[in-house]
Amino acid sequence: MEYPHVRGTDPAVADALEAEADRQETTLAMIASENHVSKAVMEAQGSVLTNKYAEGYPGARYYAGCEHVDEIERLAIDRAKELWGAEHVNVQPHSGSQANMGVYLAVLDPGDTILSLDLTNGGHLSHGHPANFAGQVYDVEQYKVDPDTGRLDYDAVEAQAREVDPDALISGYSAYTRDVDWERMGEIADEVDAYHIADIAHITGLVAAGVHSSPVGHADFVTGSTHKTIRAGRGGIIMCREEYADDVDSAVIPGMQGGPLLHNIAGKAVGFAEALEPAFEEYAERTVDNAEALGESLVDSGLSLVSGGTDNHLVLADLRESHPDTSGGEAEDALAEAGIVLNANTVPDETRSAFDPSGIRAGTPALTTRGFDEDDLREVGDLIARVVDAPDDESVLDDVRGRVDELTDAHPLYEE
Ligand SMILES: *Cc1c(COP(=O)(O)O)cnc(C)c1O
């Protein structure tokens, strides 16, 4: 990919942009939160909309000249309603974290109690980690997955909720490989009179396509990102019942943001239109099938997976038993050298540090976008295992890198 206008004004950035495009083209993007958007989404994002101010909402802006951006934001909202079946949608949060912030601002007061999954067990920073604003503003209590099964223990969450009496119960995760019983989480929240906030950032696309169960109807608020399993460009989204519409909208602006990123909202509109096509459902199904094939292949090669497998787009391998001398960080580095890009991740009952944890997390959304099938993922699982078995063996890394080159050549990403 070339960036002639950037090159004209800023060769240093043009060099880095072209190098990044080449990196994406020639490596396997297996960071579970990453994907590749279409050229249509990129065109919308890189458009004149970055020039426009439109504080407010369609039909009620604080600025003139908003008739065209109103149309775009309305399209994004209407398509989101169709995709997820939500009563009210706000497409203005700049990211998934800000979608969560918007919901907290809408219904919580400083000092209120949030009950959420521990970060090292698969939760998210914005669910109340001490280093995040949520951990500083709210009183945060955390639940864990069952260390033996790697799965949520709903009875334990219920017991803890009774004890803690939270104002908000958060479901939805960053590194959890199993389906979630949203109805049960909603019942637990009801029982203790807490809001149920379901954060589907990772699985937004899977839920839209109907290949993962949906929390809509079981949660007061559903938050998400628009760039992970749905390919609508970077951003966040809030969905809620109509009764909370005004609270959410005024929490987003003026509560926490100024002007919306209209170029990103256009990206969302275009990406949502793509997701409404029948082909997207096939894509989401293939993403899940591919993750299952990847997981089986890793297990066949001797790795152990948290929860034993996956119901969604990602797998989480715990290296402690199979490779006690290799940390997740060492595996991540060696794999990156071989052209397989994923991330080290904490596992339940983590015994190393968060900076160099015991697991690796791998997802299939991006590879599925570029056309990889289950056979390809089985092979990729094999390649990952070979590297993890011999992270210091340059000949193995070279060999795997050669095969990655062939695989990426066979599945080009952005053909001109
Ligand atoms: C990725 C993620 C988010 C949002 O992240 P941003 O980078 O802020 O868009 C929020 N919640 C969960 C559970 C996530 O995995």
Side-chain angles (χ1 to χ4, degrees):
M1 233 175 234
E2 284 173 23
Y3 302 90
H5 298 91
V6 180
R7 180 153 300 286
T9 24
D10 191 339
V13 167
D15 284 348
L17 267 173
E18 285 176 16
E20 171 61 13
D22 185 59
R23 189 195 66 80
Q24 291 187 20
E25 199 71 52
T26 58
T27 56
L28 303 183
M30 299 192 77
I31 292 174
S33 48
E34 289 185 355
N35 211 327
H36 304 289
V37 297
S38 68
K39 285 186 166 180
V41 170
M42 278 197 278
E43 214 168 274
Q45 284 196 310
S47 66
V48 293
L49 296 176
T50 196
N51 300 333
K52 186 75 193 99
Y53 248 105
E55 286 180 13
Y57 290 98
R61 306 282 192 184
Y62 292 93
Y63 293 92
C66 291
E67 55 274 24
H68 307 299
V69 298
D70 276 3
E71 168 72 9
I72 289 167
E73 186 167 344
R74 282 198 186 100
L75 285 169
I77 291 168
D78 291 345
R79 289 169 185 168
K81 285 182 176 168
E82 200 175 333
L83 281 169
W84 290 285
E87 287 178 22
H88 179 75
V89 172
N90 187 308
V91 293
Q92 292 195 8
H94 301 335
S95 74
S97 296
Q98 285 195 267
N100 288 335
M101 186 185 217
V103 171
Y104 303 159
L105 274 177
V107 291
L108 299 180
D109 291 318
D112 276 359
T113 302
I114 289 175
L115 177 58
S116 60
L117 183 66
D118 183 87
L119 181 68
T120 63
N121 277 233
H124 190 258
L125 283 171
S126 62
H127 297 178
H129 189 272
N132 184 269
F133 90 96
Q136 291 157 26
V137 173
Y138 306 107
D139 182 13
V140 178
E141 299 284 341
Q142 303 216 281
Y143 55 94
K144 298 197 166 183
V145 299
D146 180 328
D148 295 327
T149 62
R151 292 175 189 244
L152 290 165
D153 176 346
Y154 297 97
D155 292 337
V157 175
E158 182 175 24
Q160 198 177 351
R162 284 203 190 125
E163 189 186 311
V164 164
D165 191 24
D167 299 286
L169 174 66
I170 302 182
S171 60
Y173 314 102
S174 295
Y176 187 68
T177 52
R178 294 300 179 176
D179 207 329
V180 178
D181 188 344
W182 310 107
E183 186 175 358
R184 181 80 198 274
M185 292 299 272
E187 285 165 6
I188 295 169
D190 277 349
E191 199 185 316
V192 298
D193 202 19
Y195 294 108
H196 178 205
I197 304 170
D199 176 353
I200 59 168
H202 258 265
I203 51 172
T204 326
L206 306 184
V207 170
V211 304
H212 190 290
S213 65
S214 171
V216 174
H218 301 300
D220 301 294
F221 303 93
V222 177
T223 57
S225 65
T226 53
H227 48 271
K228 295 183 182 177
T229 47
I230 194 156
R231 299 168 295 197
R234 304 204 78 82
I237 184 169
I238 300 173
M239 305 173 229
C240 64
R241 302 210 171 100
E242 195 57 48
E243 64 183 295
Y244 302 121
D246 290 346
D247 290 336
V248 161
D249 288 351
S250 55
V252 172
I253 173 177
M256 66 167 190
Q257 291 183 176
L261 306 182
L262 294 157
H263 53 303
N264 277 22
I265 290 174
K268 291 172 189 177
V270 174
F272 294 168
E274 291 174 355
L276 284 164
E277 295 292 322
F280 185 75
E281 200 176 310
E282 282 163 40
Y283 161 72
E285 271 166 20
R286 261 185 287 123
T287 299
V288 173
D289 291 345
N290 280 348
E292 195 179 345
L294 171 67
E296 283 167 5
S297 156
L298 291 171
V299 168
D300 288 347
S301 302
L303 276 79
S304 47
L305 302 183
V306 173
S307 90
T310 182
D311 298 328
N312 58 28
H313 61 297
L314 68 90
V315 298
L316 182 58
D318 183 343
L319 302 178
R320 286 177 297 190
E321 255 182 47
S322 59
H323 300 80
D325 299 326
T326 305
S327 70
E330 285 160 345
E332 175 189 305
D333 290 346
L335 285 160
E337 204 180 318
I340 301 175
V341 184
L342 47 67
N343 65 288
N345 211 98
T346 53
V347 294
D349 236 357
E350 182 58 63
T351 41
R352 287 177 176 269
S353 82
F355 296 104
D356 190 15
S358 305
I360 51 174
R361 186 186 70 157
T364 53
L367 293 188
T368 307
T369 291
R370 68 191 291 179
F372 281 57
D373 64 15
E374 288 165 86
D375 285 341
D376 294 323
L377 265 298
R378 271 188 276 276
E379 177 174 3
V380 169
D382 230 57
L383 297 175
I384 290 174
R386 284 180 61 194
V387 172
V388 174
D389 282 344
D392 300 319
D393 189 332
E394 288 300 326
S395 71
V396 169
L397 302 192
D398 281 351
D399 210 37
V400 170
R401 176 78 232 196
R403 189 58 198 139
V404 166
D405 287 341
E406 287 165 5
L407 283 167
T408 54
D409 278 349
H411 300 283
L413 189 48
Y414 293 113
E415 283 173 313
E416 289 309 316

